[in-house]
Amino acid sequence: MVDPGGGAICNGTLHNQSDHCHRKNCTKNGMVKEAQQNGNSNFYKPMVESFEEAPLHVMVFTYLGYGIGTLFGYLRDFLRNWGIEKCNAAIEREKQKDFVPLYQSFESFYTRNLYMRIRDNWNRPICSAPGPLFDVMERVSDDYNWTFRFTGRIIKNVINMGSYNFLGLAAKYDESMKTVKDVLETYGLGVGSTRHEMGTLDKHKELEDLVAKFLNVEAAMVFGMGFATNSMNIPALVGKGCLILSDELNHASLVLGARLSGATIRIFKHNNMQSLEKLLRDAVIYGQPRTRRAWKKILILVEGIYSMEGSIARLSQIVALKKKYKAYLYVDEAHSIGSVGPTGRGVMEYFAMDPRDIDVFMGTFTKSFGASGGYIAGRKDLVDYLRAHSHSAAYATSMSPPIAEQVIRAMKLIMGLDGTTQGLQRVQQLAENTRYFRQRLSEMGFIIYGNEESPVVPLLLYMPAKVAAFARHLLKRKIGVVVVGFPATPLAEARARFCVSAAHTREMLDAVLEALDEMGDLLHVKYSRNRKSARPELYDETSFELED
């Protein structure tokens, strides 16, 4: 990344979905012929992903529900403004009436009038380790979810289907965590300094060497916060005069990092290679606006697994394009590292890619490793550059020593350096649980999104009232789920997002599936008709029309 001119020449051709479908039988959305640009060999990886369209009547009632809710919201705001109804929202104090408002009333309209009615489904207090089972503190509201009070009752042994505990390493203390306890006793909890000053420990260096070995790259650097790994390092890599091409479904940390960089940002359709290639081609041909100078750098931002869609980036096709147009590639593996690939090494291993084909590896320790923080890995000159220029290295407190030891312990387990095969077994168990859970949901008639090998499983609910009822009824059955709606998803695509773990037993998954089967019939959310999506720009690249 330091040298903007060091791109490799593409030595192969990019094969699209339609080329392959003429020669092979396709399932669901098709088997995509993935082109790997390593030597002269092409690599074929089946991409079985499902993004089914909802029936028309479901979409009509969904928008109708939001419309009615909006009308009543305006009515209630009118009553609050005239003092007929008590306003519980944040408002300016009387003596600050002449100030510019600190709280923008219209911007909080949705929160005040729609989200507040179903707010009990979020921020539920957990009072145990987030393993396959956890305990939830019961709470109730006496004022329609404006405030909550605890009843003192603990809901025991709730099946955890919401935590990103992919490999089951976020668990209660056991003997395998003794090294973490020893590090805590030796180093203490905090560092109290940045990496640039007195905050670099031998544990940080040990972890960085292990991450580089795990990913088979030259070097790595670790950070104390996963979100900041993106938002504070992207501005160190690109700036004014550079171009960022970002997938439209990228995480907020990538979006924030791109905006803070000052680079020009252009968005391409999710996983759509025609859309990406058009932007790359235009960038090379036309250069910067007005001046027409060549871009200093072109950086492609993608994720390994997209946390709201459950889809996997078409990495080999993206690599082929980045080589063809001499761009750089930044891959965020927050959800994919540890969870996909034969040995858990993420999408690079999933597609059998050469690590040298990816310029910047980014990942977090918050999911598969049961810890916190993140890393940037790649070439040694890239990492050395970030050690000097990263805002996180200069201003943020270093990773806590016990956290670093937990990641070391987890990574050694996955790599088999602990002398056992438990890590590999967990990776294989996660893959087995994922396929089983997704297949059963499809057979029941639910609309689920994403790749068949993604442990993130979005189940579409659409209507806001059903979102609330779904989560509430499942909690009564001692099943904890995460429900997601606008603005984290499109307005009419509210969903429940399940996260499968290697720690889930078959009995747990069957209990959840049985409850979901009953819930699907009770709430009438088994919408699947095996229709193809009406959003081709997201899911069918061959039918996407390039826009000017």
Side-chain angles (χ1 to χ4, degrees):
M1 185 62 65
V2 183
D3 176 14
I9 298 175
C10 177
N11 56 6
T13 56
L14 178 66
H15 302 277
N16 62 30
Q17 183 174 348
S18 59
D19 292 336
H20 182 59
C21 287
H22 289 167
R23 291 185 284 272
K24 297 284 184 181
N25 293 327
C26 298
T27 60
K28 292 188 180 179
N29 285 351
M31 292 255 290
V32 181
K33 182 177 181 182
E34 303 289 354
Q36 182 180 13
Q37 307 301 321
N38 298 329
N40 296 318
S41 63
N42 286 329
F43 174 68
Y44 297 83
K45 181 68 183 179
M47 287 285 286
V48 182
E49 296 194 345
S50 176
F51 296 92
E52 186 179 340
E53 177 188 6
L56 178 61
H57 74 277
V58 174
M59 301 306 294
V60 170
F61 282 115
T62 299
Y63 282 112
L64 185 63
Y66 279 110
I68 294 173
T70 300
L71 289 176
F72 273 92
Y74 279 115
L75 174 61
R76 297 190 68 181
D77 276 354
F78 174 80
L79 297 177
R80 293 182 188 117
N81 289 335
W82 286 93
I84 301 173
E85 179 182 335
K86 180 182 178 181
C87 181
N88 293 311
I91 57 175
E92 304 296 338
R93 291 177 292 178
E94 190 65 32
K95 62 182 180 182
Q96 291 181 312
K97 289 297 183 181
D98 295 332
F99 284 50
V100 175
L102 180 62
Y103 311 110
Q104 297 297 322
S105 177
F106 182 76
E107 290 179 0
S108 61
F109 177 87
Y110 177 86
T111 303
R112 185 171 60 249
N113 294 297
L114 284 89
Y115 168 75
M116 198 61 62
R117 305 301 297 270
I118 58 176
R119 191 164 71 104
D120 57 300
N121 297 292
W122 289 272
N123 308 311
R124 288 171 174 160
I126 308 302
C127 54
S128 68
L133 300 172
F134 57 24
D135 300 334
V136 180
M137 299 174 67
E138 186 181 63
R139 60 179 183 172
V140 294
S141 177
D142 302 316
D143 54 4
Y144 302 102
N145 289 343
W146 286 100
T147 61
F148 294 98
R149 61 178 174 84
F150 294 109
T151 65
R153 176 173 171 259
I154 303 297
I155 306 174
K156 295 281 189 179
N157 297 324
V158 177
I159 300 177
N160 180 5
M161 296 301 299
S163 296
Y164 297 124
N165 186 23
F166 294 133
L167 296 181
L169 294 175
K172 297 178 182 178
Y173 179 81
D174 60 33
E175 191 59 29
S176 67
M177 300 179 186
K178 186 177 184 303
T179 58
V180 179
K181 181 180 178 182
D182 293 341
V183 168
L184 174 61
E185 292 175 347
T186 303
Y187 293 84
L189 275 172
V191 179
S193 185
T194 68
R195 291 295 299 271
H196 274 190
E197 296 168 347
M198 306 294 290
T200 297
L201 306 179
D202 55 347
K203 279 296 169 185
H204 297 143
K205 302 299 293 182
E206 180 183 353
L207 175 56
E208 289 172 348
D209 292 341
L210 192 61
V211 170
K213 182 177 180 180
F214 181 66
L215 298 175
N216 194 23
V217 295
E218 294 178 4
M221 183 176 182
V222 298
F223 305 89
M225 182 181 178
F227 190 97
T229 305
N230 276 330
S231 59
M232 294 291 99
N233 283 295
I234 293 175
L237 297 175
V238 290
K240 188 176 181 181
C242 299
L243 175 65
I244 292 177
L245 302 181
S246 179
D247 190 291
E248 65 178 341
L249 296 183
N250 275 342
H251 189 263
S253 60
L254 288 168
V255 174
L256 179 60
R259 290 175 176 174
L260 290 175
S261 71
T264 301
I265 304 169
R266 291 175 183 166
I267 309 300
F268 63 91
K269 299 295 183 180
H270 174 57
N271 255 349
N272 191 300
M273 298 303 104
Q274 286 187 337
S275 176
L276 175 58
E277 184 166 18
K278 180 181 186 299
L279 292 178
L280 284 167
R281 186 171 61 246
D282 289 348
V284 171
I285 294 173
Y286 301 112
Q288 301 182 43
R290 295 188 296 274
T291 65
R292 298 306 179 191
R293 293 177 180 174
W295 294 100
K296 295 178 181 178
K297 300 173 193 171
I298 300 176
L299 180 64
I300 303 171
L301 297 182
V302 297
E303 292 187 54
I305 292 179
Y306 291 83
S307 60
M308 288 298 170
E309 306 293 323
S311 60
I312 295 178
R314 294 176 177 175
L315 188 62
S316 52
Q317 292 184 340
I318 295 171
V319 166
L321 286 176
K322 82 105 180 176
K323 287 183 174 181
K324 180 178 180 181
Y325 292 97
K326 307 294 194 306
Y328 292 102
L329 177 59
Y330 184 113
V331 180
D332 178 343
E333 294 221 67
H335 294 85
S336 55
I337 193 67
S339 63
V340 296
T343 61
R345 284 168 167 81
V347 291
M348 172 193 66
E349 184 183 49
Y350 179 79
F351 288 103
M353 301 293 295
D354 188 332
R356 292 171 296 183
D357 289 335
I358 301 171
D359 300 288
V360 187
F361 288 91
M362 178 272 170
T364 63
F365 303 124
T366 57
K367 280 80 177 178
S368 297
F369 302 96
S372 63
Y375 65 83
I376 296 286
R379 287 167 43 187
K380 187 177 184 302
D381 57 352
L382 164 74
V383 175
D384 289 343
Y385 177 83
L386 288 177
R387 292 191 193 281
H389 294 85
S390 169
H391 299 293
S392 186
Y395 304 112
T397 302
S398 300
M399 179 184 288
S400 171
I403 295 295
E405 179 60 28
Q406 161 63 13
V407 180
I408 292 171
R409 183 187 76 88
M411 196 165 287
K412 285 183 176 179
L413 178 73
I414 298 172
M415 298 171 70
L417 298 180
D418 62 339
T420 72
T421 60
Q422 290 185 23
L424 181 60
Q425 291 172 7
R426 286 174 184 262
V427 173
Q428 294 172 346
Q429 185 63 52
L430 174 62
E432 181 180 335
N433 286 351
T434 296
R435 287 189 290 267
Y436 176 74
F437 191 72
R438 280 183 167 274
Q439 181 180 353
R440 288 289 307 277
L441 287 178
S442 295
E443 292 170 353
M444 289 177 186
F446 293 103
I447 294 180
I448 59 172
Y449 277 2
N451 191 285
E452 65 174 2
E453 297 185 56
S454 167
V456 178
V457 187
L459 187 153
L460 275 293
L461 300 172
Y462 299 105
M463 303 179 195
K466 292 189 177 183
V467 170
F470 187 85
R472 289 166 182 165
H473 282 294
L474 283 180
L475 184 60
K476 290 179 181 178
R477 289 168 168 79
K478 290 192 172 184
I479 299 171
V481 301
V482 171
V483 286
V484 190
F486 179 83
T489 68
L491 184 67
E493 291 187 17
R495 64 199 67 176
R497 184 184 61 188
F498 298 94
C499 291
V500 183
S501 171
H504 287 138
T505 64
R506 183 58 60 91
E507 290 74 19
M508 291 178 188
L509 294 179
D510 285 339
V512 173
L513 289 165
E514 182 180 352
L516 290 177
D517 195 17
E518 296 175 7
M519 196 59 53
D521 294 331
L522 175 66
L523 299 178
H524 300 285
V525 292
K526 294 181 178 180
Y527 300 124
S528 179
R529 300 293 185 274
N530 293 317
R531 291 189 177 93
K532 197 174 183 181
S533 173
R535 298 165 64 190
E537 71 277 7
L538 266 180
Y539 315 124
D540 184 3
E541 67 174 88
T542 59
S543 63
F544 173 70
E545 296 295 333
L546 297 179
E547 299 176 357
D548 294 330

